[in-house]
Amino acid sequence: MEAKMAELAVVGPRQQSRRKTSRKSLGNIMNCVHDSNIALNNNDNRQFQQPSFGICFDVDGVLARGTIAVPQAASSFQLLKDSDGNIRVPVTFLTNALNKDTDKAAQISKWLGVTISPDQMVQAQGPLEVYHRFHEKFCLVVGQGKIMEIARDLGFKNICTVEEVADSYPLLDMVNHKNRARIAREGYVEKEFPRVEAIILMGEPKRWESALQIIVDLLKTDGKPTHAPEMVNEKHLPVIACNADLQFMDRACMPRFGHGAFLLCLEALYQKVTGKDLKYTSIIGKPSEVTFRYAEHCLARQAAKLGITQPLRRMYIIGDTPEVDIVGSNLYQRYVDRLRGSRGDTADGDISSDENGNKEELDYFDSQLPASRNVPAGTRFERQTVEDVCSVLVCTGVYVPGVSPEQQGEEKCYHGHRDFPKMPDFYKPTTIVNNVRDAVRYVVEREQLAK
């Protein structure tokens, strides 16, 4: 079995530096994919050793397509149960979706036939939970659905919407012709409204044109759009964006615009109007290193709940999209390598400065990353302990068997965000399997989980 697993491995950027591995053709890789028809080992007497790893599951394309679970979803989790029927491995669900954690956990629980708790969710907005420095600020929250509930669940105390800003400053939203006609007919009254201190872009809004106008106005006026500024400063309000995916696949014959498309419009308009580049305080959601750092944080909390006392050393990412799942895994591996190198594998953290120049110890600060991909000052995670990040690519979603992940990374039309330069080598997974059941079996066998 160990020999077979060695044949399956398709090493990523970091593993290439550790050992010499012959480059296999895609045909050989696919020939090595696990046979999904192998019978499950449902030994009720199976005993588990204490694991030193955790698993992050992508959702759409791995566990489900839309609202329908894939056939292997429920059976895959049987491999992670002990003789009492309890899952004994730290597990989280890593997705760029935007939902209430309680709602998404309930949906996944129904698919899998096991109880999933909200604190196992790592959605696009998830890292905001530990962005404590922003929780007391008066923040504009942009998006659709239950965004106000989601923001409050994350810890934000003072929040407002684009609609509330437009209602308080009626002259701002002139791209809304109904508002323009109403003001011409009835006049207007401005209302007292607090200064906006930060902008949280959770998802694309319903009316892009109005939201774009309001956001640019707030950025130009430092959150108080009552007077036109004499000049626009280089430094503007903090802007945090969740999920920079340009497109997503739904039921239409072609991909649909995602939140990344809205961000692209905002960046272009702000640069055209001000002559300056929009600078993000943080971009979170896959493939951001911050999101994978938060995923490790959540795995550590799950490990503690399971009574696991040893630190987690390996982290498995099971996904279907090379551009976010595999690239994100490899980016996080590089991030971990740098951190361990900078601190000499000791418990000492790096030193960072906050926006006021105050020093504070961080064990997750990477000086080689741009600001938008680094962890904001004042953020606190569980101690970083993972050494190896292993990515498992499944064939039930975006990835098309027959095309190597590296070839997808070399496409002329790159769809990634501007703050994440194209890196074709980072599209290479640790291994490729047919489906999520084969992915879990790969992890269990590789870890020799069952005695």
Side-chain angles (χ1 to χ4, degrees):
M1 182 61 70
E2 292 181 358
K4 185 174 182 180
M5 301 314 298
E7 291 178 358
L8 276 169
V10 184
V11 294
R14 182 188 188 225
Q15 288 85 345
Q16 288 176 346
S17 64
R18 288 184 166 184
R19 58 186 183 274
K20 296 181 180 179
T21 307
S22 61
R23 202 177 263 276
K24 295 183 179 180
S25 67
L26 180 64
N28 288 337
I29 293 173
M30 296 311 298
N31 287 336
C32 289
V33 172
H34 279 296
D35 182 358
S36 62
N37 294 320
I38 295 176
L40 293 175
N41 176 13
N42 290 320
N43 180 6
D44 289 337
N45 295 320
R46 179 168 59 234
Q47 298 296 319
F48 283 82
Q49 60 189 355
Q50 193 174 89
S52 58
F53 69 93
I55 306 175
C56 298
F57 290 86
D58 185 19
V59 178
D60 193 44
V62 174
L63 296 176
R65 294 298 301 269
T67 58
I68 306 299
V70 300
Q72 305 84 6
S75 61
S76 65
F77 274 70
Q78 296 300 317
L79 294 169
L80 300 176
K81 290 182 177 180
D82 61 16
S83 57
D84 296 323
N86 299 314
I87 294 177
R88 297 305 302 164
V89 174
V91 166
T92 62
F93 299 88
L94 180 57
T95 171
N96 273 354
L98 173 65
N99 303 278
K100 281 179 63 69
D101 286 342
T102 51
D103 294 344
K104 198 64 179 178
Q107 183 183 49
I108 296 174
S109 296
K110 184 177 180 180
W111 290 337
L112 302 180
V114 297
T115 300
I116 303 300
S117 63
D119 60 5
Q120 290 177 272
M121 296 297 106
V122 182
Q123 300 192 79
Q125 76 278 6
L128 294 175
E129 177 206 348
V130 292
Y131 281 29
H132 302 294
R133 183 163 62 91
F134 294 94
H135 289 176
E136 301 296 332
K137 293 183 181 293
F138 187 61
C139 297
L140 172 70
V141 179
V142 181
Q144 300 181 48
K146 302 177 181 180
I147 57 167
M148 301 300 274
E149 292 180 52
I150 293 171
R152 293 189 181 97
D153 289 345
L154 291 165
F156 289 90
K157 306 293 194 305
N158 305 302
I159 51 180
C160 64
T161 65
V162 168
E163 291 75 17
E164 289 172 329
V165 175
D167 181 63
S168 297
Y169 304 106
L171 295 181
L172 296 185
D173 190 10
M174 287 295 123
V175 293
N176 182 346
H177 286 206
K178 289 184 178 179
N179 180 55
R180 187 186 300 183
R182 182 170 55 252
I183 289 175
R185 183 177 63 251
E186 303 172 5
Y188 71 94
V189 176
E190 288 193 349
K191 303 175 183 178
E192 280 295 323
F193 200 76
R195 172 181 169 267
V196 172
E197 298 176 284
I199 298 174
I200 313 296
L201 303 171
M202 284 197 180
E204 62 274 16
K206 288 182 180 179
R207 297 182 62 247
W208 289 28
E209 68 281 5
S210 295
L212 290 167
Q213 178 71 78
I214 298 296
I215 293 169
V216 171
D217 288 340
L218 291 172
L219 291 170
K220 289 170 59 180
T221 60
D222 197 34
K224 194 70 174 175
T226 53
H227 297 87
E230 294 182 4
M231 63 176 292
V232 178
N233 295 323
E234 287 287 341
K235 185 178 180 180
H236 55 65
L237 292 176
V239 179
I240 299 174
C242 309
N243 180 8
D245 289 350
L246 182 71
Q247 301 178 108
F248 68 96
M249 198 67 200
D250 200 65
R251 298 175 67 180
C253 62
M254 295 177 289
R256 303 293 83 198
F257 289 152
H259 190 214
F262 178 77
L263 299 181
L264 188 62
C265 293
L266 177 61
E267 293 157 15
L269 279 172
Y270 185 78
Q271 204 284 329
K272 194 70 172 178
V273 169
T274 68
K276 304 178 188 302
D277 290 335
L278 178 67
K279 297 178 180 178
Y280 293 95
T281 302
S282 191
I283 299 177
I284 55 180
K286 298 180 294 186
S288 167
E289 291 92 340
V290 178
T291 288
F292 284 82
R293 178 67 189 91
Y294 179 70
E296 181 185 339
H297 165 82
C298 292
L299 284 175
R301 292 193 302 191
Q302 291 304 311
K305 288 177 65 174
L306 293 173
I308 297 171
T309 56
Q310 63 177 332
L312 299 180
R313 297 303 184 190
R314 287 168 303 286
M315 181 174 170
Y316 290 88
I317 312 297
I318 300 176
D320 71 303
T321 308
E323 196 165 78
V324 292
D325 298 311
I326 307 307
V327 170
S329 300
N330 289 325
L331 286 175
Y332 191 56
Q333 181 68 76
R334 185 182 66 176
Y335 173 88
V336 167
D337 290 344
R338 286 176 179 171
L339 292 190
R340 296 182 65 79
S342 66
R343 69 192 185 203
D345 288 339
T346 69
D348 297 329
D350 295 327
I351 302 297
S352 175
S353 299
D354 64 17
E355 59 186 2
N356 298 315
N358 299 316
K359 300 287 186 181
E360 63 176 345
E361 285 195 348
L362 303 176
D363 71 340
Y364 40 76
F365 181 77
D366 185 346
S367 59
Q368 298 184 57
L369 285 179
S372 63
R373 290 165 54 188
N374 226 316
V375 178
T379 306
R380 285 287 178 261
F381 292 113
E382 297 289 338
R383 175 66 64 178
Q384 195 283 314
T385 62
V386 164
E387 300 172 4
D388 295 301
V389 185
C390 306
S391 54
V392 183
L393 182 62
V394 300
C395 304
T396 52
V398 171
Y399 172 65
V400 179
V403 179
S404 74
E406 298 96 309
Q407 285 178 317
Q408 291 190 20
E410 293 170 356
E411 289 180 355
K412 291 181 179 179
C413 185
Y414 175 57
H415 292 161
H417 188 268
R418 63 160 202 213
D419 287 10
F420 294 81
K422 182 168 64 175
M423 306 179 73
D425 289 345
F426 279 60
Y427 281 67
K428 195 170 188 179
T430 306
T431 193
I432 302 173
V433 299
N434 283 332
N435 52 57
V436 65
R437 184 173 62 197
D438 292 343
V440 174
R441 185 186 291 111
Y442 167 79
V443 174
V444 169
E445 292 174 351
R446 192 170 190 257
E447 293 291 335
Q448 300 180 336
L449 185 62
K451 290 184 178 179

